[in-house]
Amino acid sequence: MSEISPEVPDNRQDAPSHVDPNSTRITKPGVKRLVLTLSVLFSLVLGFPFLWKSVEIYRSSLPFGEISEMESNPSLSFPCRFQAVFINFNSNPSPNHLQLSILDKITELTSNSSQCGACANDLALSVTVDSISSCTQTHPTDNSNYYRCGAISAVDFDFSNDDDDGVDELLESVLGVKNVYSVVVVNGGGEGIRAVVGKYRHAWIVGSVEEEEEESVLVSRVAEIFVKMFVNGGTENGLIHGEFMPVGADRRIVLSFNLLNAEPNDWVYDWDFQRVDETLLAPIIKVLGPIANISVESQVLYHTPKSSFSYWDEKWKSYIFSTKDLPFFVNSNEWHLDTSIAAGGRSKILQFVVYVPSAKECPLSLLLPTGEISKTNGFISPMWGGVVVWNPPGCLNSETNHPSRHTMSREDLQAVFEVFMGQFRQLFGLKSNNLYIGASGTYHLLPSGKGFTEWELDVLSRQFACFNLHSCATTLGSLSRLVQSLPRMIIMDEIGKLVQFSLEAAKLAQSNASLGDNESSAGQARSLAEDAFFHPSIMSISYYSFEHCFAIYSPFFLPVSMHVLLAALREWKRYKQEKAKYTAWKAKVKVES
Amino acid sequence: MLADDMACNARNKYPAQVFNNENHKLNLYGDNVEVDYHGYEVTVENFLRVLTGRHEAAVPRSKRLLSDEGSHILLYMTGHGGDEFLKFQDSEELQSHDLADAVKQMKEKHRFKELLIMVDTCQAATLFSQLHSPGVLAIGSSMKGENSYSHHLDSDVGVSVVDRFTFYTLAFFEKLNMYDNASLSSLFTSYNPTLLMSTTYYRTDLYQRKLEEVSVTNFFGSVMETIHTDSAYRTTHSRKTSETKMPLQESVKHDERRQLINSNVQDQTSDTKIEDKQCPFTRRWNAFQDKLEKIERIDSLVNYGFIIMFPLLLIIMFPLLLISTWLLPTFVS
C-alpha cells in the first residue's frame, strides 16, 4: 500500500519522470504503524514474566536441611542419677571403691543394650556407707538430693516378718526424691540374700554378708537392679516388637471394654462397669496422664460366637481350646467391637473382651503347650487388645432351658480386671509376675495399686518419648522426600507451619530430656508431624502438571500473540522494503545531480 | 470398595444380591458383609486416600485403613483394566505409577509389614509393574497382551457372575479348613493356564520370605498374632483398704446422679403445667393437633377433604367470578 504522496512541485518534474513505485519512493516511509505494532509486541513480552509468576505453584518452603539433620540424629539422652546406701557393714568398705566397682558393672551391663538414651552419657552414682560407728560418702556434684547420714538404720528392717509394704513406705519417706534411684543394702537378717524392688524409686537388699568376697555379689546385684529394673523396666529387649507403642497419633488411647455373651439363649451376663471404672480404672488413668490421654468405653454384646472349635477333655473336666486356636478365636465377622464414636480417626483403640461361652462349651479352658491349664484363661494380640474367657459359675451342672439374666459378681469382676491389668501391662511390654529372675539372682517386685509403679512409669515415659521423637523424625523425613520428589505439588502454608512447630517441639524435647525433665513435647512433635504428613491436600494425582498448565493458558495467549507477532514482522518487513526504495531513489537522485 | 453397579442395577432381577455361581447358593452380599465405600464414593482419589491415610479429619474410623507397622494387608482388585491401568466406574483410571507411589508412601509411613496385591483384570500384571517397595507380593490373572475371561454365564440373571481367576481362587479356599497349613506357593501354583485361558504372573522379588514357608492365613482369614497372658496383676492388701474408703465417695456421687435425674423429671412435669395456663386458642389448637395425630385412617380424611373442597371452592369463587366477569368490565369500560 502506498501512501498518497503530496503533489510534487513542477520544478522537480524535469527529473526523469519514470518513478517506479515498486522500486523507488520519493518520501521517507512512515514509522507510525511500525511503532504501534512494536509497542504492542513489547508490552506483551514485558507482561510475560508477570504471567509466569502468577501461575507459579505455591509451595511453602520447608526446612529440608533441618529435617534431614533431625532424621539423622533422633535420639534422646536421659541423665541417670543413682545412689547406693550400705547399712550396718561393720567391715567398713570404702565408698569410693564400691562406687568404682558398681560403675564398672553398670557399664558392662549397659554396653549390650540398645535402649534409647539409657544412661549413655550422663551417669552419676553416689555411695554411702552408714554404720553405727561412722558414715562415709562419695562426693556427688549436688548434695541436696542424696541420702543424709543416719536416716535409716538396721532396726527399721524387721527381719522376722516380710512386711515389704511397710519397709517400702518407710524408705519412701526417707528417700523419696524425683529422678534419683536408690538401692539400700542392709547387712543382717537370716541366711541368704533377699532383694525387693519397691513401688517407688528404690529397692533394698537384705542379707547377711560376712566375708569380703560376697561384696562382689552384692555389687553385681545392685548394678543389676539399677540397669535391668530402673533403666530397662524389667524387660529384656524393651517392648514386644521393638518399636510398637499402642498410642495413637493424637496421643489418645481409648480403652474399650466389651462383655460378650456368646449364646444369650443360655444365659445373659451383665456387669457393673460403673463401679469398676471408678474404683479400679480411675487411678490408672490418672497415673498414665502424662503419657497418654486415656478414655474408657464399655459395651455388652450378644450373639457373639467364636470361630475356633473346642473339644471335651475328661481329665480337666472342661472344654479345651489350645494355643493353636488363639489366632482364630476373635471372630471379626460377628464381633462388632470397633464401634466407638468417641475415638477420632487417629486414636488408638485397645479392645478388652470378656467372653462368656455358651452352655455347649462351658467351662472353656485354655491348654498351654506345656500341658497345663492357663491360670488366666486369657491372651493378648499386640496393638489390638486382650481377651479373657470367663466361665459362669456352676455351668457344668446347671440345667438351662430358659435364658436367665445374671450380673457378674464383684469378686469375679475383680478377678477379671486383674487379668485385664496384666494384659494392659503386657501390651506396654511390662511383665506382671511379681518375680524377676536375673543373672545374679531373683528379685521380688512389689505391685502397685495404681497398676504401674513409679519406676515403671518412668521407664514407660522415657520409652514413649524416644518412640515419639523417632517417629516424628521419620515422618518429617518421609514428608521432605515426598515433597522434593514432586516438584509441582502445591504445599500449603499450614503444612509449613506444622513442620516448623514440630521441629521446635522436637528440639524442646531433646533439650528437656537431657535436663532430666520428661514432659510431653516429644508426643506433641510426633502429633504435629503426622498432621503435616497426613494433610488431605497432599494427593499426588492432583498436582499441577505442565501439560495441564499449558492446556489452560494457551487458548488465551497463543492466538493473540501469534497475531501480534505476525503483524510486527509484517510491518518490519514493509518498513525495510520502503526504506530500501527510498534509499534507492535518493541514490538515483544523487547520481543524476 | 464396591461400585455397586451390579447389586443396585435396575436390571438386576435379584436386587441387592450378588451370586458367584449360577446355582445361586451363596449370596456374596450376605448379612455380615460390611461395605465401606459404595457407589459414587468409589473413586481413584478415595482409593488412594484410603491407602495413604490422608483423609479429612471428619472421616469416621470405619472408612479408614487402621493399619500399623505390623499389619498384613490384602488388596484385591477386579474389574476392567488394561496396560498399566485399572478402570474405575467406567470413567476414571488408576494408573500403575499412582498405585506404586501410594504403596511407596505407605511403606515410608510404616502402614504395613506385608502387602498382597491380587489383580483380576485384562493385562493384570502390568498394574504392579512399577512397584518397588519391599514387603509387597503381587499376583495378576493375566500378562501383558492377554485378556482375563469370565467363568460362566448365569442365564437367569443374564450376565456372567464370576471371573475365572476369582472362581479358582474361591475354589482353592473352599477346599481348606481352618487348621490346614496351606502355603502361598500352593495357592499361586494352583492356577491352571488352560482353565483360566490366561497366564497368571506373580512377582516375588520384593518379598523377603519364601513362598513355601508363608501360610495363606498370613493374608486371608483375619488371623491375629496372639500371646498368652501369663499372670494377672494382683496387689495384696492395699487394694482392699482403698476399696473400703472409696464407697463413701462413690455413694455421694450416686446420690448426685440421682438428683440430676430427678430434676429432669421435674422439668417435664412443670412443662405440662405450663400448658394448662395457655390461652384457649392454643389449647384448642393443641387439642386439634392431638386429635389429628390420633386419626388412623388419614387417607380417608384426605379423600373427604378433597370432596368437600370442590363445593367450597365454588361457593367462595362464585362471587369473585361474578365480579370479575360482569361487574368490573362494566365499571371499567
Side-chain angles (χ1 to χ4, degrees):
Chain A
M1 279 177 275
S2 52
E3 288 175 322
I4 299 177
S5 46
E7 284 292 333
V8 175
D10 281 347
N11 54 5
R12 290 274 186 124
Q13 277 192 344
D14 46 11
S17 51
H18 300 292
V19 180
D20 182 8
N22 283 341
S23 56
T24 52
R25 59 175 285 141
I26 306 175
T27 53
K28 254 182 114 161
V31 289
K32 284 196 293 261
R33 289 163 61 121
L34 183 66
V35 165
L36 207 62
T37 48
L38 277 182
S39 67
V40 171
L41 180 67
F42 184 62
S43 65
L44 203 68
V45 167
L46 200 67
F48 185 72
F50 290 100
L51 174 70
W52 188 254
K53 190 87 176 78
S54 72
V55 304
E56 194 185 56
I57 293 179
Y58 182 71
R59 280 165 78 91
S60 165
S61 64
L62 296 182
F64 296 119
E66 279 185 48
I67 293 176
S68 58
E69 197 191 299
M70 150 94 23
E71 204 185 352
S72 59
N73 187 19
S75 61
L76 288 174
S77 59
F78 297 97
C80 291
R81 302 272 175 268
F82 297 141
Q83 67 173 350
V85 181
F86 290 80
I87 295 183
N88 209 18
F89 278 79
N90 295 324
S91 55
N92 267 345
S94 136
N96 289 321
H97 171 71
L98 283 172
Q99 185 190 42
L100 283 174
S101 45
I102 296 179
L103 279 175
D104 277 339
K105 246 348 195 127
I106 288 179
T107 41
E108 189 191 305
L109 286 171
T110 53
S111 62
N112 52 3
S113 78
S114 59
Q115 291 283 304
C116 72
C119 303
N121 308 325
D122 196 358
L123 168 61
L125 170 68
S126 135
V127 177
T128 310
V129 177
D130 190 2
S131 61
I132 308 167
S133 47
S134 66
C135 171
T136 42
Q137 278 183 332
T138 56
H139 292 285
T141 43
D142 52 320
N143 259 330
S144 53
N145 290 337
Y146 291 89
Y147 173 73
R148 281 172 299 114
C149 277
I152 314 172
S153 68
V155 277
D156 296 326
F157 291 83
D158 192 353
F159 300 120
S160 52
N161 66 345
D162 288 322
D163 183 18
D164 289 335
D165 285 325
V167 174
D168 202 24
E169 297 297 327
L170 174 74
L171 285 180
E172 173 64 11
S173 59
V174 171
L175 292 170
V177 179
K178 200 167 146 60
N179 283 344
V180 176
Y181 298 100
S182 325
V183 175
V184 176
V185 186
V186 181
N187 185 10
E191 291 178 5
I193 298 180
R194 183 164 184 270
V196 183
V197 180
K199 300 196 288 283
Y200 300 97
R201 290 187 180 91
H202 52 254
W204 62 95
I205 304 178
V206 175
S208 48
V209 170
E210 297 305 334
E211 293 102 58
E212 287 246 342
E213 63 193 30
E214 291 193 0
E215 202 181 274
S216 62
V217 167
L218 283 177
V219 157
S220 61
R221 293 200 85 168
V222 167
E224 197 173 28
I225 291 183
F226 278 140
V227 175
K228 298 282 182 220
M229 296 289 139
F230 293 144
V231 174
N232 288 357
T235 58
E236 282 317 310
N237 49 359
L239 309 168
I240 300 175
H241 289 278
E243 297 104 26
F244 302 168
M245 296 249 55
V247 181
D250 51 0
R251 287 186 72 235
R252 288 190 59 202
I253 310 180
V254 176
L255 300 180
S256 167
F257 291 90
N258 311 282
L259 176 62
L260 261 49
N261 290 291
E263 185 50 68
N265 290 326
D266 294 331
W267 42 60
V268 170
Y269 272 89
D270 197 0
W271 58 4
D272 186 5
F273 191 77
Q274 192 77 35
R275 266 182 109 287
V276 169
D277 192 13
E278 286 161 7
T279 54
L280 296 175
L281 289 177
I284 299 168
I285 292 171
K286 196 158 144 224
V287 133
L288 283 176
I291 297 178
N293 190 356
I294 303 184
S295 52
V296 173
E297 295 184 339
S298 74
Q299 59 177 348
V300 180
L301 295 178
Y302 307 93
H303 293 287
T304 52
K306 66 182 194 338
S307 41
S308 68
F309 303 112
S310 61
Y311 58 90
W312 171 256
D313 189 311
E314 195 51 45
K315 173 179 158 204
W316 298 104
K317 287 259 179 298
S318 66
Y319 289 88
I320 299 289
F321 66 110
S322 72
T323 47
K324 276 196 306 93
D325 292 320
L326 291 183
F328 305 102
F329 195 89
V330 175
N331 183 359
S332 335
N333 276 341
E334 309 279 348
W335 296 13
H336 297 293
L337 296 173
D338 195 351
T339 51
S340 164
I341 28 175
R346 298 218 238 117
S347 319
K348 182 84 198 144
I349 293 191
L350 290 176
Q351 315 278 2
F352 290 99
V353 172
V354 180
Y355 181 79
V356 181
S358 60
K360 291 197 296 285
E361 280 190 317
C362 184
L364 191 60
S365 308
L366 173 62
L367 185 69
L368 297 173
T370 56
E372 292 171 355
I373 288 285
S374 156
K375 290 193 282 290
T376 56
N377 234 8
F379 64 94
I380 62 155
S381 180
M383 298 290 274
W384 179 85
V387 176
V388 175
V389 176
W390 178 73
N391 299 309
C395 63
L396 199 49
N397 308 320
S398 62
E399 285 287 323
T400 51
N401 289 328
H402 52 273
S404 48
R405 297 195 77 96
H406 306 278
T407 308
M408 282 175 76
S409 69
R410 232 169 87 178
E411 292 76 26
D412 285 331
L413 205 50
Q414 175 100 358
V416 163
F417 268 82
E418 282 173 358
V419 179
F420 276 157
M421 201 54 230
Q423 289 181 338
F424 190 46
R425 288 166 55 95
Q426 204 179 357
L427 287 167
F428 281 116
L430 298 170
K431 294 205 182 33
S432 302
N433 51 355
N434 296 339
L435 206 67
Y436 176 77
I437 301 174
S440 319
T442 58
Y443 303 87
H444 296 268
L445 305 172
L446 290 188
S448 154
K450 295 186 197 149
F452 294 91
T453 59
E454 293 202 7
W455 54 270
E456 282 172 345
L457 284 173
D458 285 347
V459 169
L460 277 183
S461 87
R462 282 198 298 264
Q463 281 176 348
F464 267 69
C466 280
F467 169 73
N468 284 335
L469 194 69
H470 185 74
S471 173
C472 166
T474 48
T475 306
L476 287 178
S478 309
L479 179 66
S480 81
R481 276 190 289 276
L482 173 66
V483 158
Q484 282 171 324
S485 71
L486 293 172
R488 297 191 66 85
M489 185 174 77
I490 299 177
I491 300 175
M492 299 171 48
D493 268 340
E494 202 185 336
I495 298 177
K497 280 210 190 78
L498 285 170
V499 169
Q500 197 192 341
F501 289 151
S502 172
L503 282 171
E504 278 173 15
K507 287 203 186 66
L508 188 66
Q510 279 181 323
S511 66
N512 275 349
S514 57
L515 293 172
D517 192 12
N518 214 354
E519 32 57 71
S520 55
S521 294
Q524 228 177 356
R526 175 187 173 211
S527 164
L528 288 166
E530 300 234 340
D531 282 342
F533 187 86
F534 286 117
H535 199 267
S537 70
I538 308 178
M539 276 307 294
S540 55
I541 55 165
S542 59
Y543 63 78
Y544 203 36
S545 66
F546 176 67
E547 291 89 354
H548 193 193
C549 182
F550 185 73
I552 289 180
Y553 288 104
S554 55
F556 292 119
F557 296 112
L558 261 184
V560 169
S561 53
M562 210 169 64
H563 279 293
V564 169
L565 208 63
L566 277 177
L569 277 173
R570 202 183 47 224
E571 285 305 315
W572 180 250
K573 211 170 80 172
R574 188 210 138 253
Y575 180 74
K576 282 193 92 98
Q577 252 181 4
E578 299 292 319
K579 188 89 194 237
K581 284 194 219 169
Y582 182 64
T583 42
W585 179 78
K586 271 204 115 156
K588 216 196 281 184
V589 158
K590 223 188 216 167
V591 158
E592 283 169 5
S593 65
Chain B
M1 287 182 130
L2 295 182
D4 273 347
D5 49 349
M6 288 300 131
C8 301
N9 199 321
R11 287 154 59 193
N12 188 356
K13 202 171 135 187
Y14 301 91
Q17 285 172 315
V18 174
F19 305 107
N20 71 326
N21 203 317
E22 62 176 339
N23 57 21
H24 292 194
K25 256 205 291 196
L26 182 63
N27 176 15
L28 298 175
Y29 231 109
D31 281 332
N32 48 14
V33 168
E34 258 186 60
V35 181
D36 301 309
Y37 284 85
H38 291 269
Y40 62 80
E41 293 171 328
V42 178
T43 59
V44 175
E45 187 193 332
N46 276 349
F47 174 64
L48 292 177
R49 279 190 192 279
V50 165
L51 283 185
T52 53
R54 297 208 169 91
H55 299 276
E56 302 283 332
V59 169
R61 288 176 69 89
S62 59
K63 283 181 136 81
R64 293 181 189 240
L65 178 62
L66 304 166
S67 60
D68 55 38
E69 303 93 338
S71 305
H72 296 175
I73 300 182
L74 169 68
L75 179 58
Y76 195 99
M77 300 192 277
T78 177
H80 285 296
D83 195 359
E84 311 261 340
F85 71 91
L86 178 86
K87 225 164 141 193
F88 265 66
Q89 303 270 33
D90 252 350
S91 62
E92 282 187 299
E93 286 168 2
L94 170 72
Q95 309 264 6
S96 59
H97 62 83
D98 279 331
L99 180 65
D101 217 21
V103 172
K104 180 172 109 168
Q105 286 186 43
M106 283 173 87
K107 193 65 191 172
E108 289 247 15
K109 201 60 199 69
H110 299 294
R111 275 167 76 75
F112 66 92
K113 188 158 150 228
E114 296 183 3
L115 171 65
L116 172 63
I117 302 180
M118 296 180 84
V119 188
D120 185 6
T121 66
C122 299
Q123 306 188 56
T126 56
L127 191 67
F128 46 81
S129 57
Q130 310 235 7
L131 289 173
H132 43 262
S133 315
V136 180
L137 191 58
I139 177 166
S141 62
S142 52
M143 299 187 63
K144 182 174 159 108
E146 288 179 350
N147 292 336
S148 288
Y149 297 96
S150 60
H151 189 258
H152 62 265
L153 175 71
D154 181 354
S155 43
D156 191 18
V157 175
V159 289
S160 309
V161 279
V162 64
D163 291 338
R164 286 178 182 255
F165 181 76
T166 311
F167 182 82
Y168 288 110
T169 312
L170 275 171
F172 179 87
F173 281 104
E174 293 290 312
K175 287 195 225 114
L176 295 182
N177 72 26
M178 205 192 297
Y179 301 102
D180 276 344
N181 227 355
S183 69
L184 272 180
S185 71
S186 65
L187 170 64
F188 286 1
T189 48
S190 71
Y191 298 114
N192 186 343
T194 0
L195 290 176
L196 281 180
M197 289 162 65
S198 59
T199 327
T200 52
Y201 171 72
Y202 56 96
R203 62 181 289 192
T204 52
D205 53 326
L206 299 168
Y207 192 63
Q208 273 78 26
R209 294 161 66 184
K210 291 218 199 66
L211 286 185
E212 291 82 21
E213 293 161 13
V214 179
S215 153
V216 285
T217 53
N218 210 22
F219 294 105
F220 292 90
S222 172
V223 165
M224 309 166 71
E225 184 190 339
T226 51
I227 304 175
H228 172 247
T229 305
D230 289 317
S231 51
Y233 191 67
R234 279 191 195 92
T235 58
T236 47
H237 310 288
S238 49
R239 261 222 193 123
K240 284 192 190 146
T241 52
S242 63
E243 258 199 59
T244 51
K245 281 182 203 153
M246 282 306 222
L248 288 173
Q249 294 169 357
E250 232 188 302
S251 56
V252 166
K253 278 191 200 154
H254 275 304
D255 286 338
E256 282 173 6
R257 283 219 183 86
R258 267 185 238 122
Q259 280 172 3
L260 276 173
I261 296 169
N262 283 340
S263 65
N264 275 340
V265 169
Q266 274 175 0
D267 281 340
Q268 283 174 1
T269 51
S270 59
D271 272 344
T272 52
K273 278 185 199 144
I274 290 171
E275 270 186 31
D276 291 336
K277 292 181 189 156
Q278 282 167 348
C279 67
F281 172 73
T282 36
R283 225 182 324 138
R284 283 209 197 97
W285 184 252
N286 287 337
F288 179 63
Q289 277 188 329
D290 286 332
K291 254 201 205 146
L292 266 183
E293 275 165 29
K294 285 187 198 139
I295 294 176
E296 281 158 9
R297 303 214 34 216
I298 198 84
D299 43 2
S300 65
L301 177 71
V302 170
N303 291 338
Y304 284 140
F306 273 128
I307 294 170
I308 296 171
M309 203 169 70
F310 277 117
L312 211 66
L313 260 178
L314 271 174
I315 296 168
I316 293 172
M317 294 308 291
F318 193 66
L320 286 173
L321 255 173
L322 211 66
I323 298 173
S324 63
T325 46
W326 276 302
L327 300 176
L328 257 181
T330 55
F331 281 136
V332 168
S333 60

